[in-house]
Amino acid sequence: MDQNTILKDLNKIFVDTLDNENINLNPDTTAQDVDEWDSLSHIMLIVAIEKHFKIRFTSKEIQSWNNVGEMINCIASK
């Protein structure tokens, strides 16, 4: 799966999970860029992403992400 496809899928997951149609992710997007993206919603996003892509993340992987691009790279590596 290429990174653009992953980004598109992630954007839909974020829109659905955070209930905000105005979210438009890019690789440099961070939690500070999305008002609804807090620690609780982060957990809900991780669960939704794992379910969608049928993968599991380690806590070390999750903690290493600084932006959406790093999340995409992690998904692509699985």
Side-chain angles (χ1 to χ4, degrees), residues 1-59:
M1 183 175 285
D2 70 84
Q3 294 195 347
N4 286 333
T5 303
I6 294 171
L7 179 60
K8 211 163 82 174
D9 287 356
L10 279 179
N11 202 83
K12 183 174 180 353
I13 292 166
F14 272 66
V15 166
D16 292 345
T17 303
L18 302 179
D19 196 28
N20 180 347
E21 295 288 325
N22 297 319
I23 292 175
N24 189 13
L25 299 178
N26 67 63
D28 295 322
T29 303
T30 65
Q32 287 77 30
D33 300 323
V34 181
D35 289 337
E36 297 84 6
W37 190 357
D38 58 21
S39 58
L40 179 59
S41 63
H42 187 70
I43 294 167
M44 296 185 325
L45 287 165
I46 297 301
V47 170
I49 292 165
E50 287 179 333
K51 185 176 179 182
H52 176 82
F53 290 103
K54 296 177 177 62
I55 57 176
R56 288 277 180 212
F57 299 115
T58 65
S59 57

